[in-house]
Amino acid sequence: MFAWMASLWVGGIYLLLYSVFVYIVTFWFFNRRKNKPEYSRNFLLLIMQTLCLYISFHLMNNLIFFNIPLLGMYVNIISCLYSTQIATMISFHLLNQIPWEFREWRRKILILTWVDAFSLCTFILISKILPIIEGNVTYQIIAQAFLLFFVVIRFTLRNISILHQSKITETLEKVNVLNHKLEVTNDNILAAFAASLEKRDAYTAGHSERVAKYAYHIAAEIKLIPDHRQIIYLSGLLHDIGKIGIPDSILHKEGPLSEHEYLIMKQHPVIGEELLRGVYQFLPSLTDNAKKMIYEIVLYHHERPDGLGYPMGLNDKDIPIHSKIMAVADAFDAMTSNRSYRPAMTQDKAIDILREGSGTQFWTPAVHALEVLLKKNYTVYEKTYRPSVSKRNENKYRNENADV
């Protein structure tokens, strides 16, 4: 475009067409050698650029009136190049389906356009001044030398700028790859923690994944945004990870826990939140808001609207919505799964308990959303039920935390 604009300014439409023809032949030759077949789109883009440059050039000549001709020339060149490059970006986006949200490629084009426009204006400005000093040979030699020096330096700096930006982009890509690997590694570590936890207790196998799916679909029924649903799903997989710090004697105990054992059990949300905070705090792929949601879900998924939950004893208004959703999903799956201390309840029985605890132990909108899902015959997948154990007092269970 730098060459095209110079050709148009110096020789008009015919020199412009000649420059475009030379460029297309060169472009075709090198792309043919590189086996790049998309000539039709590229040629269409070149034709659009030529027309846009020519039209904007004449339009600017008719619209711009300055007492100082060189200033008008300066504005004309910059306006033509910028308008053509903006049209090029839009066309390139439409023809090649490049994501518009990716700002880097647009920023580079406009930066280089500004460099080209400034350089071209300076080049033409010097060319206009040269005839004035034609009578003095010394001045003419100095001017020609300066012009040559300027052109060489300009293209050298431009190439350095392109190489510098390419290196920055390459470095950023490497950093992004490393961050992705770190994220995958962290997720694998946490998944291994969660899997090892479930292997410690055969009765809770698959619990975290089912809770994650229930919570995800409850959030969808409540119309939470997709990003929050994904975070809720991830948090569901990890919500009980703190139980890895609870002794087996308590975790696998058949029958009611003693007061001291129950106090220890109630520490698993705190342990889980501290563990995840240590893993996720330096992970750049998650936003601070996403990390905060994960920490809150793990820490508060046993809180109750009436303030009788644990570990903080928060009231309804202080418990985040996503934590209250997780509490309902967790309780429902716990009630409908076999545990070492009681058999699985039916879904109807579990819904009755959730409904009775609605507003006190469980968040009402989440309970209603779960009911709607079940009426739609929603199920995460068929559970693998364990052999039935001796039946416990359901009234006692009703008043205890479902996951305990």
Side-chain angles (χ1 to χ4, degrees), residues 124-151:
I124 295 177
L125 180 63
I126 294 173
S127 299
K128 294 289 183 182
I129 295 174
L130 284 178
I132 301 174
I133 57 176
E134 278 185 353
N136 191 311
V137 177
T138 304
Y139 285 158
Q140 213 173 16
I141 293 173
I142 293 173
Q144 293 287 355
F146 176 78
L147 184 60
L148 179 62
F149 176 78
F150 169 78
V151 172

Side-chain angles (χ1 to χ4, degrees), residues 35-256:
N35 295 320
K36 294 183 177 180
E38 296 192 21
Y39 298 131
S40 57
R41 290 184 182 180
N42 294 329
F43 288 152
L44 186 63
L45 195 65
L46 291 174
I47 293 171
M48 184 280 305
Q49 286 180 313
T50 308
L51 291 175
C52 185
L53 191 68
Y54 182 74
I55 293 171
S56 60
F57 177 79
H58 285 283
L59 184 63
M60 290 300 168
N61 270 339
N62 294 329
L63 293 180
I64 297 176
F65 300 96
F66 288 105
N67 294 326
I68 306 175
L70 292 179
L71 182 59
M73 174 200 73
Y74 195 93
V75 174
N76 191 342
I77 292 174
I78 291 179
S79 301
C80 288
L81 285 177
Y82 255 74
S83 60
T84 304
Q85 286 293 51
I86 290 172
T88 300
M89 287 191 297
I90 295 173
S91 302
F92 193 75
H93 164 69
L94 295 175
L95 289 172
N96 297 285
Q97 297 180 343
I98 302 298
W100 193 250
E101 294 77 11
F102 185 56
R103 300 177 182 177
E104 185 65 20
W105 68 281
R106 289 180 288 156
R107 188 179 66 84
K108 283 183 179 180
I109 288 177
L110 291 180
I111 287 176
L112 295 176
T113 301
W114 171 256
V115 173
D116 286 344
F118 178 78
S119 301
L120 184 58
C121 289
T122 307
F123 180 83
I124 295 177
L125 180 63
I126 294 173
S127 299
K128 294 289 183 182
I129 295 174
L130 284 178
I132 301 174
I133 57 176
E134 278 185 353
N136 191 311
V137 177
T138 304
Y139 285 158
Q140 213 173 16
I141 293 173
I142 293 173
Q144 293 287 355
F146 176 78
L147 184 60
L148 179 62
F149 176 78
F150 169 78
V151 172
V152 172
I153 291 297
R154 177 243 178 265
F155 280 102
T156 302
L157 292 177
R158 190 178 191 277
N159 289 336
I160 291 174
S161 174
I162 292 173
L163 290 173
H164 179 66
Q165 290 191 28
S166 298
K167 288 180 180 179
I168 291 176
T169 302
E170 184 180 352
T171 303
L172 288 175
E173 288 175 353
K174 290 180 179 178
V175 170
N176 289 334
V177 169
L178 290 175
N179 286 337
H180 177 69
K181 289 181 179 179
L182 177 61
E183 179 184 1
V184 171
T185 301
N186 285 338
D187 287 344
N188 289 340
I189 291 172
L190 293 173
F193 280 163
S196 64
L197 174 64
E198 293 195 342
K199 286 180 180 178
R200 292 172 65 193
D201 183 4
Y203 284 95
T204 60
H207 168 70
S208 295
E209 186 174 356
R210 293 194 299 270
V211 169
K213 290 183 177 180
Y214 281 130
Y216 177 90
H217 289 284
I218 291 172
E221 193 67 33
I222 297 176
K223 309 298 183 187
L224 293 190
I225 62 175
D227 286 349
H228 286 187
R229 297 179 212 166
Q230 293 295 338
I231 295 170
I232 286 173
Y233 179 82
L234 173 61
S235 303
L237 296 176
L238 304 171
H239 75 284
D240 270 345
I241 199 168
K243 286 186 177 179
I244 202 167
I246 303 300
D248 285 346
S249 59
I250 297 176
L251 197 62
H252 300 160
K253 183 177 180 179
E254 295 190 12

